[in-house]
């Protein structure tokens, strides 16, 4: 669906993890993509970063005769299968149609995913036992804590199909990057370009922030329309790189 | 997924078309299904009835690099394929994630579906050139008229996968019945029972309405807890059937 | 709760029925009441007027073990009692917490109320078999047609308690007036004053509309700050009264 | 702000009035503008068309000490000035911040505007005495009827400043075109191009609709990817023009 | 209304306080109750638990002539009476119709309730001086901080009537249990069963969490469909109980 | 527009900074102003206070051809000009039409404002790099963190025009006061009166809180309808002042 790009390896993900979602959304906006930020997904805990390819789970509305408590006894139940099959390093992205009145997962499944090396959880629904999940090292973003079991509103259906999450198209393999602001979905074929230019933008903004903290006006500096700005940045960058 | 029931033929659909959605939702509630009414889908025109099996189309959010105006040149575009492949007598049910800011179809596609014998359209998104669609004989239910092309927000993806529409689970083959109140989704395996009991409920309510119009109190009549009510109904029914 | 005012008789109601809800909300705004218009309640049919004292029914959320289909077999079920006890000339006002996903009543109950001489129905929820209700002479205002039975979401509780409806406080005995724009709730103790001044405002606005239709500017005319306006109005009124 | 284009005269407006809003939003989407449809603005009456340059009125939230009923006595009150100053042929576009809990105008002001030759009213708020406005020849689009006076929520502020209306940027002089689906805002500098290409698109879609009504598949026809389609269209167009 | 059950004493409440709301909603779902979680009520502070019978306060919309600042001078004002009459150990549950634009209580009333031994506060409206309330030992759940006085939107009406709160039916005496995820309302007659089975579920989930943390797959473990799981759990439980 | 009052100097602002927003909204309600609390604006960090005159920035919806990434190269871009021109001690108040799907500013601009001595930021939109802003000493209130650049949805237009923010009218020069509950907008001409009476109310409520913490009932105390209350307060106040 999306054109294949370069392989996405650990280095690229490590780089993306250092770039803020605000920088990444700007890089994608420059490339014509305006709708890449998962609306309404907040981190359960501050200070965490995440980067990994999307592994998706789609829920449709539940129906009483199909979604009783016993469905979890089926070893093939898609939610449970997702938790066991998602590869290490991937991000579980769930399409809950923005309905946070119930949970989309809880601390047991989250712990299992952490043990399996999953990079994080993103959902436009709720999470139950959210405090327990927040204590994990694996980060999670959701619409908020919500205790009721997902069966009340959600029927788990597809693994790794394209989905909508928080109003954004998420294709399996797209790169999900999260920080305190939230989560951005980077189409896989743009990941390398966005990482390269985003890293440069971060460096420049670090410089700008330092300049501003020391009293510089933003006019001519941000963006760097004054010729002197570029020169000052090069000096700053050289000094920083020399360290 | 749903257990196979008796085959659903034209007679059953003809019967269901005579039963109001309020009666059908009550019949389904009696069987434990409370969430079967497509929320927010209003008829474009009053006075129409519809009954037919669901043929579904799923949209996810659009992405600028995948959903330009040229995608319609692809003869395999799912929205266009849906319009050409949906069987005569079926109902096109579209999952637009409840987003009515753009259209999910317009009058040309609707006209094509009418020519092909499609029973109706149900969407939780918008419809464009809604006045043109309303002039067709084939009925349509939607969140409201909306001119912008679906490409702005929607990416057509799946044909005949289970979907959510207006907050309700719709499985391909479920029976969609529509009237002036809106649209109900009847799980296929319940269609025969619901039609049988719904038809009886309609007859009884016709009797009740007549009684009430002639001055009867609803206490003991609706529901028929007074023994005399049943007797009067039997007489009424016999007289009516005799005609 | 509200201070007793003059008795509210048929003449007053007849007068109020001729005054538009836009005039009445302005009269109440002049008296410091800004929140008197039932938000979201639309008429099922255009061209109808209604005026009558509020008779209220309060719903709280349903609970599965209390609100099965059999509760209607209880002759004391508050919804059914409401329909039988509401006095002729009164308006049934229902508090559905603004939830229109289910009905708050249907055509059988509405027909019974028409037979009993009820002046109208106002709800911030839905109405089922709305087309049937629209065919009655008794008018109804609601959030829209909605087929599912009220039991799915609503538990009928109180008769004639103060309620909220469409974000407005409605005390039993308040005068509900409805037209094509919607419904206004007039506190009982203000009904006489509002009717008197509203009728005068209506006459003046009829005059203004005529002037405007003949090409007059609204400056100085509406409101009548130009001295000549008052004089012209007096002449107009005298001529009209003489007819 | 927007680059000056060719002058917009009566012929262009007459042409735009014949083009549907669905065609116009597609033409604008082809030019990269996806957000041009006034969300939530519905016509008070079906079957009307409108085209004219925007004359804007901005409301901010009301404040009790500034927005009492007496403010209308001020001949300089912006709402009243707007009604008297808007040029014949223009469209009054009001920014009500999407708040339809009160009116943004009523039938007296609307009648005055019709007398003055105004082309129509567009608001993302409510309209009071909506039935009266609907009886006028001048069309109006709004979020729905709403009786309370605008003073309760709105403070009229600016005439002819750029505004937001229904989530869309509207600059004075942009061309507002309305039909049964709603209203589109065409940036002035694009009006000529959009009218030319839109008219051609309309002709082609008339042809397509005729073909479809006679049994043609949409594949290869809409869009016209099959070479034969273009040829058939040319014949059809020649025949039609010859009439 | 709800059938009388066993008396609810301190031991039962102490047990319920140790059970998470996610476990309790699952227990109630198993018993057919799907709508028991107060939607939108978040704790003002994390790490707190609450269990106690509901004492309710119902607000309807305010009206300017009834709800001036002086109403609080009335010693019988329901909000103030509620604060003084609510029994020690009970939970004040307020029905604010989900409107968080104003407060439903503030730190003075909350402090008074803490002094009186009240178990907690639950509201679907806002709380003012929320930071002050958060410093108390008595926990509180609300839609968020909101400074304006309740009089602007709310009229306090009923004490200890059945209400809706966050979309859930709350009957006086129902048991409200709160944790970091939010608040669940347990119908009184189910409290004993839910506590017993919930405590067992908690023990089992503690075991599962330990197993998962040590690398176990959830298939066969959660739920315990593999026979070995039960055996391992029994061993674990025996060891734990022995401590 | 608002009558000029006494000059607003540092002492007045210092006093207002000690008064809670709950007290201030009550003082304004006593003066007839019920809609002064910026709905939905939450502090990025708890424990901060702010008081300063409003300096406003108005956004309208973005349009693709006007709001590309290059607009920031224009030294006259209103958002950048706002950041450089807002006076020390003032509060930047942004009208984002309540749309938090994108940012209205980020940490670089916020840092620049802190360096320039700005008192704080208030927006009904989002803020990007919200964690970075939260680390500043200058406080900020917003609808939540949101990474995407403002250009995606917002077009910066007016400096220091009257605006709506969170549903409240904000005129340049109005005094914005913020605390953990949120932000109140005090019309400039009322600032002195509100500060004087608010400070007194705060003192009295400190006394009440102390009484309540020591076991006093609120009846007769809050409000002080019991004669003894006033006497006790005078003694308390004298003792406190003597310290």
């Amino acid at each position: 669906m999306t054109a294949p790009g370069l392989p996405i390896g650990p280095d690229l993900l490590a780089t993306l993890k250092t770039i803020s979602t605000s920088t990444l959304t700007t890089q994608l906006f420059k490339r014509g993509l305006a709708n890449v930020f998962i609306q309404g997904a907040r981190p359960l805990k501050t200070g965490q970063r995440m980067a990994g390819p999307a592994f998706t789970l789609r829920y449709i509305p539940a129906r009483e005769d199909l979604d009783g408590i016993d469905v979890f006894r089926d070893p093939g139940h898609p939610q449970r299968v997702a938790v066991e099959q998602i590869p290490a390093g991937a991000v579980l992205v769930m399409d809950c149609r923005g309905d946070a009145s119930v949970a989309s997962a809880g601390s047991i499944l989250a712990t299992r995913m952490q043990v399996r090396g999953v990079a994080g959880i993103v959902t436009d629904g709720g999470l139950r036992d959210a405090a327990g999940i927040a204590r994990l090292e694996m980060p999670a973003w959701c619409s908020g804590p919500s205790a009721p079991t997902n069966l009340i509103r959600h029927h788990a259906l597809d693994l790794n199909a394209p989905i909508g999450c928080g109003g954004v198209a998420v294709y399996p393999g797209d790169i999900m990057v999260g920080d305190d602001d939230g989560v951005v979905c980077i189409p896989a074929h743009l990941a390398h370009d966005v990482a390269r230019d985003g890293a440069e933008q971060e460096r420049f903004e670090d410089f700008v922030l330092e300049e501003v903290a020391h009293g510089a006006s933003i006019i001519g500096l941000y963006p760097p329309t004054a010729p002197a700005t570029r020169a000052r940045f090069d000096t700053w960058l050289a000094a920083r790189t020399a360290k």
Side-chain angles (χ1 to χ4, degrees), chain A:
Chain A
M1 205 150 296
T2 53
L6 295 170
I8 293 170
D11 285 1
L12 181 62
L13 295 175
T15 300
L16 285 169
K17 221 166 153 176
T18 68
I19 306 176
S20 70
T21 57
S22 63
T23 292
L24 293 168
T25 52
T26 295
Q27 287 298 326
L28 288 162
F29 179 59
K30 285 183 175 177
R31 287 160 176 82
L33 275 72
N35 185 32
V36 293
F37 185 70
I38 311 295
Q39 294 295 332
R42 305 240 178 276
L44 281 184
K45 182 165 55 182
T46 57
Q48 292 182 308
R49 291 277 176 121
M50 171 192 74
F55 182 94
T56 68
L57 171 59
R58 177 162 81 105
Y59 289 105
I60 62 167
R63 215 175 71 193
E64 290 87 343
D65 60 341
L66 296 177
D67 296 289
I69 195 77
D70 283 341
V71 297
F72 287 137
R73 302 183 70 84
D74 173 8
H77 187 273
Q79 189 207 39
R80 302 301 163 92
V81 170
V83 166
E84 294 293 337
Q85 291 195 348
I86 177 173
V91 174
L92 182 66
V93 187
M94 289 180 275
D95 174 348
C96 296
R97 310 171 315 284
D99 184 343
S101 65
V102 302
S104 47
S107 63
I108 290 176
L109 301 193
T111 301
R112 175 63 180 152
M113 286 191 278
Q114 170 168 296
V115 168
R116 296 194 60 251
V118 168
I121 298 174
V122 178
T123 173
D124 61 1
L127 288 173
R128 70 196 315 206
D129 194 5
I133 299 178
R135 280 192 295 271
L136 298 176
E137 284 180 27
M138 180 190 68
W141 285 257
C142 69
S143 282
S146 190
T149 174
N150 62 91
L151 296 173
I152 292 172
R153 297 267 186 172
H154 300 321
H155 176 92
L157 197 82
D158 289 339
L159 292 193
N160 251 359
I163 59 171
C165 181
V168 175
V170 178
Y171 292 85
D174 284 351
I175 306 304
M176 311 303 293
V177 181
D179 64 7
D180 286 352
D181 277 354
V183 178
V184 62
C185 173
I186 307 173
H189 69 105
L190 295 172
H192 280 274
D193 286 5
V194 158
R196 183 195 59 228
D197 294 355
E200 185 182 323
Q201 183 184 334
E202 291 275 303
R203 278 191 296 275
F204 179 69
E205 295 200 354
D206 284 351
F207 159 74
V208 167
L209 207 49
E210 213 175 294
E211 293 267 304
V212 163
H214 287 92
S217 161
I218 54 170
I219 308 294
L221 170 66
Y222 183 63
T225 48
T229 301
R230 269 286 151 196
R232 245 183 4 257
F233 173 55
D234 290 342
T235 310
W236 177 91
L237 192 58
R240 200 197 201 194
T241 314
K243 286 179 200 170

Coordinates of all heavy atoms in Angstrom, one line a residue, chain A residues 122-163:
Chain A
V122 N -0.6 2.0 22.3 CA -1.3 3.2 21.9 C -2.8 2.8 21.6 O -3.0 1.9 20.8 CB -0.7 3.8 20.6 CG1 -1.5 5.1 20.2 CG2 0.8 4.2 20.8
T123 N -3.7 3.5 22.2 CA -5.1 3.2 22.0 C -5.9 4.5 22.0 O -5.6 5.5 22.7 CB -5.7 2.3 23.0 OG1 -7.1 2.1 22.9 CG2 -5.4 2.7 24.5
D124 N -7.0 4.6 21.2 CA -7.9 5.7 21.4 C -9.1 5.3 22.2 O -10.1 6.1 22.3 CB -8.3 6.3 20.0 CG -9.1 5.2 19.2 OD1 -9.3 4.1 19.6 OD2 -9.5 5.6 18.0
G125 N -8.9 4.3 23.0 CA -9.9 3.9 24.0 C -9.3 4.1 25.4 O -8.3 4.8 25.5
G126 N -9.8 3.4 26.4 CA -9.3 3.5 27.7 C -8.4 2.3 28.1 O -8.2 1.4 27.3
L127 N -7.8 2.4 29.2 CA -7.0 1.3 29.8 C -7.4 1.1 31.2 O -7.6 2.1 32.0 CB -5.5 1.7 29.7 CG -4.8 1.6 28.3 CD1 -3.4 2.1 28.3 CD2 -4.9 0.2 27.7
R128 N -7.5 -0.1 31.7 CA -7.9 -0.4 33.0 C -6.7 -0.8 33.9 O -5.7 -1.2 33.3 CB -8.9 -1.6 33.1 CG -8.4 -2.9 32.7 CD -9.4 -4.0 32.4 NE -10.6 -4.0 33.2 CZ -11.3 -5.1 33.5 NH1 -11.0 -6.3 32.9 NH2 -12.4 -5.1 34.2
D129 N -6.9 -0.6 35.2 CA -5.7 -0.7 36.1 C -4.6 0.1 35.5 O -3.5 -0.3 35.4 CB -5.3 -2.2 36.2 CG -4.4 -2.3 37.5 OD1 -4.2 -1.3 38.2 OD2 -3.8 -3.4 37.7
A130 N -5.0 1.4 35.2 CA -4.0 2.3 34.5 C -2.8 2.6 35.4 O -1.7 2.7 34.9 CB -4.8 3.5 34.1
A131 N -3.1 2.6 36.7 CA -1.9 2.9 37.6 C -0.9 1.7 37.6 O 0.3 2.0 37.6 CB -2.4 3.1 39.1
G132 N -1.4 0.5 37.5 CA -0.6 -0.6 37.3 C 0.2 -0.6 36.0 O 1.4 -0.9 36.0
I133 N -0.4 -0.2 35.0 CA 0.3 -0.1 33.7 C 1.3 1.0 33.8 O 2.5 0.9 33.2 CB -0.7 0.2 32.5 CG1 -1.7 -1.0 32.4 CG2 0.1 0.4 31.2 CD1 -2.7 -0.9 31.4
A134 N 1.0 2.1 34.4 CA 1.9 3.3 34.5 C 3.2 2.9 35.3 O 4.2 3.5 35.1 CB 1.2 4.4 35.2
R135 N 3.1 1.9 36.2 CA 4.3 1.5 36.9 C 5.2 0.6 36.1 O 6.4 0.4 36.5 CB 3.9 0.7 38.2 CG 3.4 1.5 39.3 CD 3.3 0.8 40.6 NE 2.2 -0.2 40.6 CZ 0.9 0.0 40.9 NH1 0.6 1.2 41.3 NH2 0.1 -1.0 40.8
L136 N 4.8 0.1 34.9 CA 5.7 -0.6 34.0 C 6.7 0.3 33.4 O 6.5 1.5 33.4 CB 4.9 -1.3 32.9 CG 3.8 -2.3 33.3 CD1 3.1 -2.8 32.1 CD2 4.5 -3.5 34.1
E137 N 7.8 -0.3 32.8 CA 8.7 0.5 32.0 C 8.2 0.8 30.6 O 8.5 1.8 30.0 CB 10.1 -0.2 32.0 CG 10.8 -0.1 33.3 CD 12.2 -0.8 33.2 OE1 12.7 -0.9 32.1 OE2 12.6 -1.2 34.3
M138 N 7.4 -0.2 30.1 CA 6.8 0.0 28.8 C 5.8 1.1 28.8 O 4.8 1.0 29.6 CB 6.2 -1.3 28.4 CG 5.6 -1.2 27.0 SD 4.6 -2.7 26.7 CE 3.2 -2.5 27.8
P139 N 5.9 2.1 28.0 CA 5.0 3.2 28.1 C 3.6 2.9 27.4 O 3.6 2.0 26.5 CB 5.7 4.4 27.3 CG 6.6 3.7 26.4 CD 7.0 2.4 27.0
A140 N 2.6 3.7 27.7 CA 1.3 3.5 27.1 C 0.6 4.9 27.0 O 0.7 5.8 27.9 CB 0.5 2.6 28.0
W141 N -0.1 5.0 25.9 CA -0.9 6.3 25.6 C -2.4 5.8 25.4 O -2.6 4.9 24.7 CB -0.4 7.0 24.4 CG 0.9 7.7 24.5 CD1 1.1 9.0 24.7 CD2 2.2 7.1 24.6 NE1 2.4 9.4 24.8 CE2 3.1 8.2 24.8 CE3 2.7 5.8 24.5 CZ2 4.5 8.0 24.9 CZ3 4.1 5.7 24.6 CH2 5.0 6.8 24.8
C142 N -3.3 6.6 26.0 CA -4.7 6.2 25.9 C -5.6 7.5 26.1 O -5.1 8.5 26.5 CB -5.1 5.1 26.9 SG -5.1 5.6 28.6
S143 N -6.9 7.3 26.0 CA -7.8 8.4 26.2 C -8.1 8.6 27.7 O -8.7 9.6 28.1 CB -9.2 8.1 25.5 OG -9.1 8.3 24.2
G144 N -7.6 7.7 28.5 CA -7.8 7.8 30.0 C -8.0 6.5 30.6 O -8.3 5.5 30.0
P145 N -7.9 6.4 32.0 CA -8.2 5.2 32.7 C -9.7 4.9 32.5 O -10.5 5.8 32.5 CB -7.9 5.6 34.1 CG -7.0 6.8 34.1 CD -7.4 7.5 32.8
S146 N -10.0 3.6 32.5 CA -11.4 3.2 32.3 C -11.5 1.7 32.8 O -10.9 0.9 32.2 CB -11.9 3.4 30.9 OG -13.3 3.2 30.8
A147 N -12.3 1.5 33.8 CA -12.2 0.2 34.4 C -13.0 -0.9 33.7 O -12.5 -2.1 33.7 CB -12.8 0.3 35.9
P148 N -14.1 -0.7 33.0 CA -14.9 -1.8 32.5 C -14.2 -2.6 31.5 O -13.4 -2.1 30.6 CB -16.2 -1.1 31.9 CG -16.3 0.2 32.7 CD -14.8 0.6 32.9
T149 N -14.5 -3.9 31.5 CA -13.9 -4.8 30.5 C -14.3 -4.4 29.1 O -15.4 -3.9 28.8 CB -14.3 -6.2 30.7 OG1 -13.8 -7.0 29.7 CG2 -15.8 -6.4 30.7
N150 N -13.3 -4.6 28.1 CA -13.6 -4.2 26.7 C -14.8 -4.9 26.1 O -15.4 -4.4 25.2 CB -12.3 -4.5 25.9 CG -11.9 -6.0 25.9 OD1 -12.4 -6.7 25.0 ND2 -11.1 -6.4 26.9
L151 N -15.1 -6.1 26.7 CA -16.2 -6.9 26.1 C -17.5 -6.1 26.0 O -18.4 -6.4 25.3 CB -16.4 -8.2 26.8 CG -15.3 -9.2 26.8 CD1 -15.5 -10.3 27.7 CD2 -15.1 -9.7 25.4
I152 N -17.7 -5.1 26.9 CA -18.9 -4.4 27.1 C -19.2 -3.6 25.8 O -20.4 -3.4 25.4 CB -18.9 -3.5 28.3 CG1 -18.9 -4.4 29.6 CG2 -20.1 -2.5 28.4 CD1 -18.7 -3.7 30.9
R153 N -18.2 -3.1 25.2 CA -18.3 -2.2 24.0 C -17.6 -2.7 22.8 O -17.9 -2.3 21.7 CB -17.8 -0.8 24.3 CG -18.6 -0.1 25.4 CD -19.7 0.7 24.8 NE -20.3 1.5 25.8 CZ -21.2 2.4 25.7 NH1 -21.6 2.7 24.4 NH2 -21.7 3.1 26.7
H154 N -16.5 -3.5 23.0 CA -15.6 -3.8 21.9 C -15.6 -5.3 21.6 O -15.6 -6.2 22.4 CB -14.2 -3.4 22.2 CG -14.0 -2.0 22.5 ND1 -14.6 -1.0 21.8 CD2 -13.2 -1.4 23.5 CE1 -14.3 0.2 22.3 NE2 -13.4 0.0 23.3
H155 N -15.6 -5.6 20.3 CA -15.4 -7.0 19.8 C -14.0 -7.0 19.0 O -13.9 -6.3 18.0 CB -16.5 -7.4 18.8 CG -16.4 -8.7 18.2 ND1 -16.9 -9.9 18.8 CD2 -15.8 -9.1 17.1 CE1 -16.6 -10.9 18.0 NE2 -15.9 -10.5 17.0
A156 N -13.1 -7.7 19.5 CA -11.7 -7.8 18.9 C -11.9 -8.5 17.6 O -12.4 -9.6 17.6 CB -10.7 -8.4 19.8
L157 N -11.3 -8.0 16.5 CA -11.6 -8.6 15.2 C -10.3 -8.9 14.4 O -10.0 -10.1 14.1 CB -12.5 -7.7 14.4 CG -13.2 -8.3 13.2 CD1 -14.4 -9.0 13.7 CD2 -13.5 -7.3 12.2
D158 N -9.6 -7.8 14.0 CA -8.5 -8.0 13.0 C -7.2 -7.8 13.7 O -7.0 -6.9 14.5 CB -8.6 -7.0 11.9 CG -9.8 -7.2 11.0 OD1 -10.2 -8.4 10.9 OD2 -10.2 -6.3 10.3
L159 N -6.2 -8.6 13.3 CA -4.8 -8.3 13.7 C -4.1 -7.8 12.4 O -4.2 -8.3 11.3 CB -4.1 -9.6 14.1 CG -4.6 -10.2 15.4 CD1 -3.5 -11.3 15.8 CD2 -4.7 -9.2 16.5
N160 N -3.4 -6.7 12.6 CA -2.5 -6.2 11.6 C -3.2 -5.8 10.3 O -2.7 -5.9 9.2 CB -1.4 -7.2 11.3 CG -0.1 -6.6 11.9 OD1 -0.1 -5.5 12.4 ND2 1.0 -7.3 11.7
A161 N -4.4 -5.3 10.4 CA -5.1 -4.6 9.3 C -4.9 -3.1 9.4 O -4.7 -2.6 10.5 CB -6.6 -5.0 9.3
P162 N -5.0 -2.4 8.4 CA -5.0 -0.9 8.5 C -6.2 -0.5 9.4 O -7.2 -1.0 9.2 CB -5.1 -0.4 7.1 CG -4.6 -1.5 6.2 CD -5.0 -2.8 6.9
I163 N -5.9 0.5 10.2 CA -7.0 1.0 11.1 C -7.0 2.5 11.2 O -6.1 3.2 10.7 CB -6.8 0.4 12.5 CG1 -5.4 0.9 13.1 CG2 -6.9 -1.1 12.6 CD1 -5.2 0.6 14.6

